[in-house]
């Protein structure tokens, strides 16, 4: 080959040309919106004048006194915590169950994966149908075993609406945990298990003392990846409840979106979305430090 | 793990039962998709005992299955999904191509070249994935409005590509890391340029990884909701966005909704078969090797 000629393209030995397209698109689509968002949070749209006006720190002060904001923060944390616990525990249990080469287990793993690629907005709609008080199959089952009063529609009752949304969430994403945990379980070395068997350890002891510690890195990654998504939940609450009844299912993302697009509070919506971003970044980075997650 | 025969039997049964419970909603929606209006509202809900119909699919996708031609009435025109499916396909395909191209270039540099701040650069890329979509979508709406990008393929392709970039970069980096760098070094000794090594040696070796990354990007674009909801209005819409409009003041088109839901499982199933091997690595953004 024309060696000398090829050697002349030394510019490609520098990382910059390789990274330039990535840096450009990230700058335009994350840094610029971020700065714009910060700018927007010190302004507010005035419908009377049809223009943005500088309002100083008014939006930030309003945030502090906004009970609906604090409520949506609590709801987001509740949603996050309940979903994460269920998805972790169920995911680990099902992964342990499926970690076998028995008849049809490969097929079963495949079927379980199907939930992951259906758009969450469509999943939310389908659960809306299943939880319909009159002809929903979930409502019917719960009513027939006496767990649900037919006068209490799941998604239109403040005390059960969040649970109704969480069912869709947990249904769709538990298989995600199963897949990650299965991959982790498959990669574990067999020696500690053999030693534990010889020592006569019980299955629970083996799980607690061997499986859990060796899986800690995998669990940490699962918590991080899923946790970030859980904290910005939007799709399910948007299509299933729109935040209601009352404000019992308002998530931070939904609240920020509604302030901007339904109530035309552009500045305040930007403030709320910034706060959501800051909370996620702080928690995620703390978690990465503490759990020593490596990418 | 080995156990007694009965223990294995029990485990197999338990596994089938658990997966059946998870599969139940899908089978239920599929049954609704084939139901006539009154069968949907039956109480107790019927899983099998009804006369199947293709009406819902016909109305949603505007396709004829058996009787007559396309039957899209003005009133029911809202639920005619074919143009939206096309929108979704165009956006998902183009944004995937863009994201994978940019990510592959960047991932090669991050995998092979040592430079100052490489670690914090990866951290920065990762942090963009932590951004809640709403924190981008709200300002993006105004920026897009100023630049006339609302309701355009360009706008949606760019934002979906952005959304998938962190995933694609980290995933491609982990695939490149698996290819021994000695190959590159010996090629450099032979006088090949970096770009030649990338194009002729590394890229062909990472083909499987690129395919997996592409399919995952496609799926995430296909299922994305908030950006599509915010940055499109009337002339351009994606499937998830339209599905959320099936609830109207005169009632919900459950049969059509279910037909759409059932149909959305078919591409899902094909994609799973394609990327099953790489799925976990992709979902954890490359941090977990299978």
């Amino acid at each position: 080959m024309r060696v000398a000629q090829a050697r002349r393209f030394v510019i490609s030995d520098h990382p910059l040309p390789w990274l330039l397209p990535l840096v450009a698109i990230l700058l335009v689509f994350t840094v610029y919106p971020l700065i714009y968002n910060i700018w927007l949070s010190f302004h507010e749209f005035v419908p009377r004048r049809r223009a943005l006006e500088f309002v100083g720190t008014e939006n930030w002060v309003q945030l502090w006194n906004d009970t609906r904001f604090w409520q949506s923060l609590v709801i987001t944390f509740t949603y996050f915590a309940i979903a994460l616990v269920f998805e972790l525990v169920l995911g680990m249990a099902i992964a342990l169950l499926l970690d076998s080469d028995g008849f049809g287990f490969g097929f079963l793993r495949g079927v379980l994966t199907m939930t992951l690629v259906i758009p969450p907005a469509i999943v939310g709609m389908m659960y809306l149908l299943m939880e319909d008080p009159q002809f929903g199959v979930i409502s019917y089952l719960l009513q027939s075993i006496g767990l649900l009063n037919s006068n209490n529609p799941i998604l239109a009752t403040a005390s059960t609406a969040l649970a109704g949304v969480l069912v869709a969430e947990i249904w769709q994403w538990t298989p995600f945990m199963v897949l990650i945990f299965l991959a982790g379980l498959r990669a574990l070395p067999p020696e500690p298990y053999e030693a534990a068997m010889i020592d006569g350890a019980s299955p629970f002891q083996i799980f607690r003392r061997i499986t859990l510690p060796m899986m800690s890195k995998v669990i940490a990654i699962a918590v991080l990846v899923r946790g970030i998504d859980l904290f910005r939940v939007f799709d399910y609450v948007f299509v299933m409840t729109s935040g209601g009844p009352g404000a019992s299912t308002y998530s931070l993302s939904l609240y920020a979106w509604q302030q901007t697009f339904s109530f035309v509070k552009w500045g305040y919506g930007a403030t709320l979305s910034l706060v959501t971003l800051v909370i996620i970044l702080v928690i995620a980075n703390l978690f990465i430090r503490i759990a020593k997650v490596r990418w | 793990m080995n156990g007694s025969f009965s223990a294995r039997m029990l485990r197999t049964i338990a596994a089938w039962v658990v997966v059946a419970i998870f599969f139940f909603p899908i089978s239920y929606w599929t049954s609704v998709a084939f139901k006539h209006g009154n069968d949907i509202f039956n109480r107790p809900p019927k899983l099998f005992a009804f006369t199947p119909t293709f009406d819902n699919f016909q109305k949603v996708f505007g396709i004829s299955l058996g009787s007559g031609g396309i039957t899209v009435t003005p009133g029911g025109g809202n639920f005619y999904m074919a143009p939206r499916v096309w929108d979704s396909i165009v956006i998902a395909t183009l944004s995937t191509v863009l994201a994978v191209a940019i990510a592959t270039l960047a991932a090669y540099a991050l995998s092979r070249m040592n430079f100052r701040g490489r670690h914090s650069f990866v951290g920065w890329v990762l942090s963009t994935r932590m951004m809640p979509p709403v924190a981008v979508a709200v300002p993006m709406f105004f920026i897009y409005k100023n630049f006339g990008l609302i309701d355009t393929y360009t706008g949606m392709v760019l934002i979906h590509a952005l959304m998938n970039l962190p995933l694609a970069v980290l995933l491609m980096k982990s695939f490149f890391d698996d290819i021994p760098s000695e190959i590159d070094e010996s090629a450099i000794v032979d006088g090949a340029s970096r770009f030649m090594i990338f194009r002729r040696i590394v890229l062909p070796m990472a083909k499987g990884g690129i395919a997996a990354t592409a399919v995952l990007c496609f799926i995430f674009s296909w299922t994305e909701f908030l950006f599509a909801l915010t940055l499109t209005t009337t002339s351009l819409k994606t499937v998830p966005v339209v599905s959320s409009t099936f609830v109207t003041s005169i009632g919900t088109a459950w049969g059509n909704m279910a037909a759409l839901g059932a149909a959305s499982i078919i591409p899902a199933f094909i994609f799973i078969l394609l990327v099953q091997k790489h799925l976990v690595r992709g979902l954890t953004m490359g941090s977990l090797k299978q």
Side-chain angles (χ1 to χ4, degrees):
Chain A
M1 282 202 121
R2 284 160 293 170
V3 172
Q5 218 177 348
R7 201 73 196 94
R8 244 183 275 146
F9 289 100
V10 277
I11 189 173
S12 62
D13 278 333
H14 197 278
L16 195 65
W18 299 84
L19 297 176
L20 206 57
L22 176 69
V23 173
I25 203 166
L26 285 185
L27 282 179
V28 172
F29 282 87
T30 66
V31 178
Y32 182 46
L34 187 64
I35 294 166
Y36 192 95
N37 222 351
I38 295 170
W39 178 85
L40 207 56
S41 75
F42 293 103
H43 293 72
E44 191 51 273
F45 181 72
V46 185
R48 187 165 37 84
R49 297 198 191 169
R50 304 178 59 78
L52 280 166
E53 266 180 23
F54 182 75
V55 293
T57 54
E58 204 178 278
N59 284 324
W60 294 91
V61 175
Q62 187 189 342
L63 188 77
W64 189 253
N65 298 317
D66 183 0
T67 45
R68 171 99 11 137
F69 161 71
W70 294 107
Q71 218 173 350
S72 68
L73 192 64
V74 171
I75 288 162
T76 308
F77 265 111
T78 312
Y79 184 91
F80 165 86
I82 295 177
L84 199 58
V85 167
F86 267 91
E87 285 168 20
L88 279 176
V89 173
L90 275 177
M92 183 60 87
I94 297 171
L96 288 168
L97 183 67
L98 288 181
D99 183 21
S100 156
D101 293 316
F103 173 70
F105 276 63
F107 171 76
L108 293 182
R109 289 192 282 265
V111 170
L112 215 49
T113 323
M114 285 175 81
T115 66
L116 293 175
V117 267
I118 308 169
I122 291 183
V123 170
M125 289 293 300
M126 301 316 308
Y127 271 86
L128 195 57
L129 166 65
M130 299 210 298
E131 291 171 16
D132 187 282
Q134 262 122 50
F135 40 85
V137 67
I138 291 179
S139 298
Y140 174 76
L141 288 175
L142 289 177
Q143 283 165 15
S144 51
I145 56 171
L147 267 177
L148 190 75
N149 190 319
S150 56
N151 300 323
N152 291 336
I154 300 174
L155 290 170
T157 307
S159 55
T160 53
L162 198 63
V165 178
L166 277 164
V167 168
E169 161 76 46
I170 293 165
W171 175 80
Q172 184 157 37
W173 294 101
T174 296
F176 169 78
M177 295 299 202
V178 173
L179 282 188
I180 294 177
F181 290 155
L182 264 174
L185 287 171
R186 290 276 149 136
L188 295 184
E191 291 83 11
Y193 287 95
E194 283 156 13
M197 295 278 214
I198 293 166
D199 291 346
S202 72
F204 180 72
Q205 279 175 322
I206 293 178
F207 177 72
R208 260 227 54 199
R209 310 253 166 201
I210 302 175
T211 311
L212 264 189
M214 286 200 299
M215 287 281 284
S216 60
K217 186 205 165 203
V218 176
I219 295 170
I221 288 171
V223 169
L224 186 66
V225 172
R226 195 67 214 120
I228 291 170
D229 277 349
L230 281 171
F231 207 85
R232 46 194 196 186
V233 54
F234 180 83
D235 305 19
Y236 301 111
V237 283
F238 183 87
V239 300
M240 292 177 80
T241 63
S242 314
S248 54
T249 56
Y250 259 105
S251 75
L252 271 179
S253 282
L254 180 67
Y255 189 42
W257 193 89
Q258 276 209 336
Q259 285 294 321
T260 308
F261 296 104
S262 308
F263 307 139
V264 211
K265 292 277 202 176
W266 294 350
Y268 194 52
T271 314
L272 284 166
S273 67
L274 261 179
V275 169
T276 315
L277 169 67
V278 170
I279 294 174
I280 290 183
L281 281 181
V282 168
I283 295 178
N285 279 305
L286 270 180
F287 184 79
I288 287 174
R289 286 273 161 83
I290 294 167
K292 297 195 178 71
V293 179
R294 290 225 164 258
W295 294 83
Chain B
M1 259 186 271
N2 290 312
S4 65
F5 177 75
S6 59
R8 265 182 308 170
M9 215 35 207
L10 209 66
R11 184 193 190 125
T12 308
I13 293 169
W16 279 85
V17 170
V18 167
V19 176
I21 293 170
F22 269 86
F23 187 69
F24 172 73
I26 295 180
S27 57
Y28 177 70
W29 307 337
T30 311
S31 82
V32 172
F34 288 104
K35 280 177 186 173
H36 283 291
N38 1 332
D39 281 329
I40 296 172
F41 305 123
N42 251 336
R43 195 177 166 84
K46 284 179 186 164
L47 200 48
F48 298 112
F50 61 90
T51 330
T53 169
F54 285 110
D55 280 1
N56 295 315
F57 289 94
Q58 210 167 312
K59 197 168 178 194
V60 169
F61 294 103
I63 40 168
S64 164
L65 293 164
S67 61
I70 297 170
T71 49
V72 184
T73 54
N78 307 336
F79 303 134
Y80 178 47
M81 287 290 295
R84 303 324 180 190
V85 174
W86 176 243
D87 286 351
S88 282
I89 290 173
V90 171
I91 292 166
T93 309
L94 294 181
S95 73
T96 299
V97 170
L98 188 65
V100 170
I102 293 175
T104 309
L105 280 177
Y108 179 77
L110 292 173
S111 168
R112 292 297 199 267
M113 298 173 189
N114 256 315
F115 55 91
R116 219 150 44 93
R118 188 175 71 161
H119 239 77
S120 25
F121 185 82
V122 175
W124 179 53
V125 173
L126 193 69
S127 74
T128 62
R129 147 83 210 211
M130 293 172 196
M131 275 207 175
V134 77
V136 182
V138 168
M140 255 1 226
F141 174 74
F142 298 105
I143 296 166
Y144 269 36
K145 229 167 95 172
N146 289 336
F147 287 93
L149 283 170
I150 302 274
D151 268 341
T152 62
Y153 283 134
T154 318
M156 283 309 296
V157 166
L158 283 171
I159 200 86
H160 277 182
L162 159 92
M163 169 185 81
N164 280 321
L165 268 174
L167 163 88
V169 169
L170 291 160
L171 192 53
M172 282 317 301
K173 183 179 173 293
S174 88
F175 285 122
F176 287 148
D177 286 345
D178 282 354
I179 302 170
S181 58
E182 285 81 17
I183 296 175
D184 297 36
E185 280 148 24
S186 66
I188 287 183
V189 172
D190 287 344
S193 74
R194 273 288 182 190
F195 192 72
M196 234 160 94
I197 299 167
F198 173 70
R199 218 176 48 132
R200 297 274 170 80
I201 302 169
V202 179
L203 223 46
M205 287 179 82
K207 253 192 311 204
I210 293 170
T213 310
V215 170
L216 280 164
C217 286
F218 191 95
I219 290 171
F220 287 127
S221 170
W222 188 265
T223 57
E224 199 280 329
F225 183 62
L226 203 151
F227 290 131
L229 177 75
T230 312
L231 302 176
T232 63
T233 51
T234 44
S235 57
L236 184 72
K237 272 197 170 109
T238 65
V239 172
V241 175
V242 184
S243 74
S244 74
T245 63
F246 279 31
V247 181
T248 66
S249 50
I250 50 159
T252 304
W254 287 122
N256 300 319
M257 184 62 230
L260 183 63
S264 74
I265 294 164
I266 297 165
F269 201 72
I270 297 168
F271 283 137
I272 289 166
L273 293 178
L274 286 174
V275 280
Q276 209 168 22
K277 213 172 67 181
H278 301 294
L279 196 64
V280 169
R281 208 196 259 200
L283 291 171
T284 56
M285 286 191 279
S287 52
L288 211 64
K289 301 215 164 126
Q290 264 187 305

